[in-house]
């Protein structure tokens, strides 16, 4: 580290991020330190290359999609607020009880929002539907060259068949939620941040 | 008063004063550092210095916390214990099975589950928040503040006392310690140049060897004092012997001085130009070092041949090699390049661990050049480190160079209390190979295909 991280982050900003995301003061300063260490260009924003420099992320088959999730529609840079907003999806739900600011709107790390995050990894064109093509794309990313087109196609067809209830040959968000209703999303899509 | 206004007499007095103080300075230098260095004796000043500093640091940290509490400000807490709780790493297979176990099995053979992406998603975001590799290429954070702004994360004006203390520290470090150390270093380097050249002229081979050792050790001792380095050597009975290779983890170019302080090694590296080149050529006159031209460096067979030739000659000193190939921040040991482990001679592993509290020795070569780095080193409080000589290792039956390298690496990591990583130190500058991603994809495909059979 070595850069004077928290002096560049004003107290008011920290308070705003706290309200919006639910992270604690020390978590925010620590994550800011991480943000600045990734920001090689030292301009206060991260680009896609900054993320790809992390080897463990570069070898993740869904690495590119995950990186995409941090960037707002059509933009190439993400600032610290955006970074925290995306990370907030991964806060454990139990942590919310400690935060008395039970906001009127749904917290970013609710079960529904976690599922929405995962849904958006599939739904690249943001039309609120996972088409057969989109599903195939994600499958292809995860298996590489090791499975044939036909086999992958049949896997995709089977998956859509099981999930699709209104017969439009694609998976809507509600159908997605139904398929995953037995999965412990709260635990699987949460990261335990230290206090 | 009259004689002070006369310019000639005034300048004479001034010169007189200057020459007296320089003489006093040099005498003190000579008596307290150079003579003990030559004789190999330690007076114990450094230990006293360090214990005093430690007390001051602890006081400063406590003070800072107290003042921050009073003013109701929050201090930055360094994340030396990590930002997130990392689960013990499961294999991809296990991770996915665990994920699917929570979903009810409506089908007898699930092949693909939409929930599978959670596994990759979480792993991905975890690595964005805290990964094992990128943090090794920058200096580690400290728990206690050591009065250097370079290791302070929220240096605001919290208390007058602390700022004064810090200012005093700056004066001492840049006004007294830095000039002292630079003088010593200059002395050490000039001595090496002069003496090794002189020794090189001697006719008798035995005499040359004998004197070379003495000259080298003396010069390195002076260099060590020029950094105010406190080194503790452990298990010296395992010191590397002739005809072998000494292998150590790499944190800084100073590693060479630390090790050469306690023994004679042959160095291996690229032939430089300028001052460094001069030093290299001078060193070769009296003892066998291996310097390569730029063009020869790429030729792995040539390198291997010269290494084996040197090692085969039992009168030659052990070669010092840093298989990581680059400087790492001393919290972990990264992949060892297999070249030196293919030669088939005895390997003497050495673990070096620095205590960053008095001055972080790590050289962040992408951030600082060599001169900047040396200046930072000489204006820190001290360099404190421990060196462990591990028992010699040989390649076993049926073990290939890579496995041998990993075995040595594990031993060094265990002794030094460092994290043993398989990642390549070259990732500091280069991108990771696609082969690793392809491996992950292959593993996942197995999960899909095998369960559908």
């Amino acid at each position: 580290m070595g850069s004077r991280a928290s002096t560049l982050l004003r107290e008011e900003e920290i308070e705003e991020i706290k309200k919006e995301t639910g992270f604690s003061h020390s978590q925010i300063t620590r994550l800011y330190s991480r943000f600045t260490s990734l920001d090689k260009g030292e301009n206060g924003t991260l680009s896609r290359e900054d993320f790809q420099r992390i080897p463990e992320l570069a070898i993740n088959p869904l690495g590119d999609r995950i990186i995409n999730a941090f960037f707002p529609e059509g933009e190439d840079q993400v600032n610290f607020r955006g970074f925290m907003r995306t990370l907030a999806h991964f806060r454990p739900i139990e942590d919310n009880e400690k935060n008395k600011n039970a906001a009127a709107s749904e917290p970013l790390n609710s079960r529904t929002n976690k599922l929405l995050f995962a849904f958006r990894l599939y739904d690249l064109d943001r039309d609120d539907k996972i088409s057969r093509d989109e599903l195939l794309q994600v499958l292809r990313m995860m298996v590489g060259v090791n499975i044939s087109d036909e086999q992958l196609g049949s896997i995709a067809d089977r998956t859509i068949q099981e999930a699709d209830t209104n017969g439009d040959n694609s998976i809507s968000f509600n159908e997605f939620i139904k398929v995953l209703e037995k999965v412990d999303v709260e635990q699987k899509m949460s990261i335990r941040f230290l206090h | 008063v009259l004689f002070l206004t006369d310019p000639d007499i005034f300048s004479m007095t001034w010169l007189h004063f200057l020459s007296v103080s320089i003489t006093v300075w040099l005498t003190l230098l000579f008596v307290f550092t150079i003579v003990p260095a030559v004789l190999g004796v330690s007076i114990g000043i450094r230990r006293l210095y360090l214990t005093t500093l430690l007390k001051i640091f602890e006081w400063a940290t406590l003070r800072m916390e107290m003042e921050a509490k009073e003013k109701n400000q929050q201090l930055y807490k360094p994340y030396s214990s990590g930002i997130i709780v990392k689960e013990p790493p499961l294999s991809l297979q296990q991770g996915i099975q665990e994920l699917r176990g929570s979903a009810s099995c409506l089908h007898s053979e699930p092949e693909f589950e939409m929930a599978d992406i959670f596994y990759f998603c979480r792993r991905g975001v975890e690595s964005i928040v805290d990964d094992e590799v990128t943090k090794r290429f920058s200096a580690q954070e400290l728990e206690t503040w050591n009065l250097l702004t370079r290791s302070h994360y929220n240096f605001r004006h919290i208390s007058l006392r602390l700022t004064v203390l810090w200012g005093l520290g700056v004066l001492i470090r840049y006004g007294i310690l830095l000039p002292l150390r630079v003088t010593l270093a200059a002395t050490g380097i000039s001595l090496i140049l002069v003496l090794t050249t002189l020794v090189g002229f001697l006719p008798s081979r035995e005499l040359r060897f004998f004197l070379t050792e003495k000259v080298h050790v003396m010069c390195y001792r002076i260099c060590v004092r020029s950094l105010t380095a406190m080194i503790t050597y452990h298990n010296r009975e395992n010191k590397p012997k002739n005809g072998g290779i000494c292998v150590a983890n790499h944190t800084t170019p100073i590693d060479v001085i630390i090790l050469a302080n306690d023994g004679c090694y042959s160095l291996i590296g690229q032939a430089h130009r300028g001052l460094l080149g001069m030093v290299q050529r001078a060193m070769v006159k009296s003892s066998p070092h291996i310097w390569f031209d730029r063009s020869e460096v790429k030729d792995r067979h040539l390198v291997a041949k010269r290494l084996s030739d040197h090692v085969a000659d039992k009168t030659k000193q052990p070669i010092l090699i840093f298989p990581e190939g680059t400087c790492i921040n001393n919290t972990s040991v990264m992949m060892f390049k297999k070249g030196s482990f293919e030669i088939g001679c005895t390997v003497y592993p050495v673990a070096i661990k620095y205590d960053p509290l008095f001055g972080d020795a790590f050289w962040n070569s992408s951030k600082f050049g060599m001169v900047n780095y040396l200046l930072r080193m000489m204006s820190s409080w001290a360099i404190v480190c421990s060196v462990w000589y591990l028992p010699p290792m040989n390649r076993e039956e049926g073990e290939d160079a890579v496995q041998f390298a990993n075995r040595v690496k594990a031993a060094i990591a265990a002794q030094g209390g460092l994290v043993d990583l398989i990642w390549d130190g070259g990732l500091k500058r280069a991108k990771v190979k696609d082969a690793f991603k392809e491996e992950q994809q292959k593993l996942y495909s197995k999960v899909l295909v095998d369960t559908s059979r």
Side-chain angles (χ1 to χ4, degrees):
Chain A
M1 304 298 109
S3 57
R4 275 153 253 182
S6 57
T7 53
L8 301 177
L9 194 62
R10 298 187 317 272
E11 281 299 320
E12 310 90 64
E13 270 195 80
I14 298 182
E15 283 303 312
E16 284 172 29
I17 297 177
K18 209 169 169 178
K19 271 203 207 83
E20 192 183 357
T21 61
F23 281 114
S24 74
H25 194 283
S26 60
Q27 285 169 342
I28 295 174
T29 46
R30 263 189 240 158
L31 286 167
Y32 186 69
S33 183
R34 172 67 175 171
F35 180 84
T36 43
S37 77
L38 290 174
D39 178 15
K40 289 287 188 282
E42 289 187 1
N43 52 0
T45 60
L46 294 178
S47 66
R48 287 192 169 80
E49 287 78 43
D50 288 323
F51 283 99
Q52 276 153 3
R53 228 175 269 120
I54 304 172
E56 285 163 35
L57 187 62
I59 67 168
N60 189 317
L62 290 180
D64 287 332
R65 284 290 167 97
I66 297 171
I67 294 174
N68 227 28
F70 281 85
F71 293 86
E73 223 27 86
E75 289 189 24
D76 284 331
Q77 303 283 333
V78 58
N79 60 14
F80 184 58
R81 292 289 287 268
F83 184 70
M84 291 302 279
R85 217 172 285 134
T86 317
L87 284 183
H89 287 98
F90 289 85
R91 276 184 66 237
I93 293 187
E94 308 85 68
D95 278 3
N96 277 353
E97 284 144 27
K98 301 181 189 147
N99 187 6
K100 296 286 163 55
N101 289 357
S105 62
E106 207 171 359
L108 284 167
N109 64 339
S110 68
R111 187 193 159 89
T112 317
N113 277 325
K114 285 184 199 281
L115 283 167
L116 191 58
F117 187 89
F119 185 79
R120 293 231 169 96
L121 287 181
Y122 283 109
D123 181 20
L124 200 58
D125 59 6
R126 299 279 172 99
D127 64 354
D128 288 330
K129 282 204 293 268
I130 303 177
S131 67
R132 184 177 185 273
D133 270 336
E134 286 172 336
L135 185 56
L136 267 177
Q137 266 184 40
V138 173
L139 278 169
R140 182 53 75 194
M141 283 177 90
M142 290 201 278
V143 306
V145 300
N146 298 292
I147 296 188
S148 67
D149 281 332
E150 301 90 51
Q151 203 166 8
L152 216 59
S154 63
I155 293 179
D157 288 328
R158 224 167 309 179
T159 314
I160 294 186
Q161 208 177 34
E162 279 156 12
D164 192 14
T165 49
N166 67 350
D168 62 353
N169 213 30
S170 62
I171 306 178
S172 72
F173 186 50
N174 287 324
E175 287 163 356
F176 187 71
I177 297 181
K178 191 99 197 354
V179 169
L180 294 173
E181 67 185 347
K182 297 263 171 52
V183 175
D184 185 5
V185 176
E186 288 87 342
Q187 208 256 318
K188 295 303 170 191
M189 285 282 275
S190 290
I191 299 177
R192 277 152 60 204
F193 290 90
L194 291 173
H195 291 280
Chain B
V1 176
L2 205 69
F3 73 84
L4 274 176
T5 50
D6 185 339
D8 288 325
I9 301 188
F10 182 69
S11 47
M12 286 275 284
T13 326
W14 181 236
L15 276 168
H16 195 67
F17 172 72
L18 212 61
S19 59
V20 165
S21 47
I22 290 184
T23 320
V24 168
W25 178 253
L26 283 175
T27 321
L28 280 175
L29 204 74
F30 199 68
V31 168
F32 283 112
T33 26
I34 298 192
V35 167
V38 170
L39 299 175
V41 160
S42 172
I43 302 188
I45 297 183
R46 282 180 291 169
R47 205 160 280 285
L48 182 63
Y49 168 67
L50 288 178
T51 17
T52 323
L53 273 179
L54 196 57
K55 292 213 181 75
I56 298 180
F57 294 163
E58 280 163 2
W59 178 85
T61 313
L62 274 163
R63 187 93 216 159
M64 216 161 60
E65 283 170 15
M66 238 171 60
E67 302 263 351
K69 215 175 262 175
E70 270 173 36
K71 300 206 177 131
N72 212 7
Q73 284 170 348
Q74 292 248 19
L75 281 182
Y76 172 78
K77 278 188 241 159
Y79 71 112
S80 42
S81 49
I83 309 184
I84 53 181
V85 176
K86 285 245 178 98
E87 319 276 325
L90 300 168
S91 72
L92 192 142
Q93 210 106 0
Q94 288 172 301
I96 303 264
Q97 306 295 23
E98 208 196 33
L99 196 69
R100 292 191 180 168
S102 64
S104 73
C105 288
L106 299 165
H107 350 265
S108 48
E109 309 155 345
E111 29 174 39
F112 169 68
E113 294 271 334
M114 295 210 80
D116 284 351
I117 60 161
F118 290 172
Y119 174 77
F120 292 109
C121 190
R122 186 165 92 169
R123 288 277 294 269
V125 179
E126 273 177 354
S127 67
I128 291 178
V129 174
D130 187 11
D131 78 299
E132 283 301 317
V133 181
T134 55
K135 65 184 180 190
R136 310 292 172 191
F137 301 133
S138 56
Q140 50 178 158
E141 296 193 346
L142 298 173
E143 303 264 355
T144 327
W145 184 37
N146 61 355
L147 296 181
L148 298 172
T149 37
R150 65 185 78 144
S151 48
H152 198 325
Y153 314 108
N154 46 1
F155 187 69
R156 287 178 284 227
H157 177 80
I158 292 189
S159 119
L160 184 64
R161 262 185 250 197
L162 279 180
T163 317
V164 166
L165 191 61
W166 170 76
L168 208 66
V170 169
L171 269 170
I172 296 181
R173 283 184 298 117
Y174 284 91
I176 303 181
L177 294 179
L178 183 59
L180 176 64
R181 286 174 182 161
V182 170
T183 325
L184 275 175
T187 318
I189 295 181
S190 358
L191 273 177
I192 261 207
L193 282 174
V194 168
L195 289 176
T196 46
T197 318
L198 285 178
V199 169
F201 285 137
L202 289 174
S204 152
R205 204 153 176 248
E206 288 89 45
L207 195 60
R208 269 218 305 267
F209 280 164
F210 177 70
L211 281 178
T212 306
E213 250 191 77
K214 298 286 173 255
V215 165
H216 268 245
V217 173
M218 181 189 81
C219 292
Y220 283 117
R221 279 208 206 107
I222 297 183
C223 286
V224 159
R225 273 169 172 75
S226 78
L227 292 165
T228 315
M230 288 270 340
I231 313 170
T232 320
Y233 296 99
H234 303 267
N235 306 334
R236 297 178 75 208
E237 65 272 10
N238 291 327
K239 255 170 74 168
K241 301 191 177 55
N242 286 2
I245 293 185
C246 175
V247 153
N249 57 314
H250 200 29
T251 306
T252 152
I254 295 179
D255 286 339
V256 172
I257 302 179
I258 304 269
L259 288 178
N261 185 38
D262 193 39
C264 268
Y265 298 95
S266 285
L267 302 175
I268 175 171
Q270 218 179 318
H272 285 94
R273 289 171 298 212
L275 179 64
L276 202 51
M278 257 169 64
V279 175
Q280 285 179 329
R281 283 192 293 278
M283 287 165 83
V284 163
K285 288 209 178 86
S286 47
S287 64
H289 297 285
I290 307 177
W291 307 122
F292 286 102
D293 288 324
R294 214 148 238 254
S295 49
E296 293 172 320
V297 168
K298 300 280 178 184
D299 187 346
R300 291 190 38 205
H301 291 292
L302 185 64
V303 175
K305 178 149 195 334
R306 280 181 77 174
L307 276 177
S308 354
D309 287 344
H310 184 112
V311 157
D313 184 349
K314 296 294 177 209
T315 60
K316 293 195 176 159
Q317 307 140 336
I319 309 179
L320 181 56
I321 294 185
F322 298 104
E324 282 166 309
T326 184
C327 294
I328 312 291
N329 78 346
N330 207 233
T331 55
S332 67
V333 183
M334 296 187 114
M335 188 183 92
F336 275 6
K337 302 207 182 334
K338 63 179 166 95
S340 10
F341 298 91
E342 286 173 326
I343 299 180
C345 61
T346 315
V347 167
Y348 297 89
V350 175
I352 309 177
K353 179 84 180 104
Y354 290 87
D355 182 351
L357 186 59
F358 296 98
D360 197 321
F362 168 59
W363 181 31
N364 191 342
S365 48
S366 27
K367 228 173 159 189
F368 308 113
M370 176 66 97
V371 177
N372 200 337
Y373 168 70
L374 284 175
L375 257 139
R376 284 166 72 96
M377 278 304 99
M378 292 194 181
S379 60
S380 314
W381 297 112
I383 311 280
V384 178
C385 64
S386 293
V387 175
W388 285 272
Y389 293 106
L390 295 165
M393 290 177 152
N394 278 296
R395 197 160 89 185
E396 280 167 13
E397 282 286 329
E399 203 180 34
D400 71 2
V402 175
Q403 290 165 329
F404 181 37
N406 286 336
R407 195 159 59 90
V408 173
K409 174 159 66 83
I412 293 181
Q415 180 65 77
L418 307 163
V419 176
D420 186 0
L421 295 177
I422 51 163
W423 296 96
D424 185 355
L427 290 171
K428 197 194 243 181
R429 298 205 170 81
K431 282 219 153 101
V432 66
K433 293 202 197 102
D434 284 331
F436 291 105
K437 188 191 236 181
E438 285 157 19
E439 211 183 289
Q440 293 276 302
Q441 289 170 328
K442 207 171 187 172
L443 285 172
Y444 182 65
S445 320
K446 279 218 181 76
V447 172
L448 285 195
V449 169
D450 284 348
T451 53
S452 70
R453 287 289 144 82

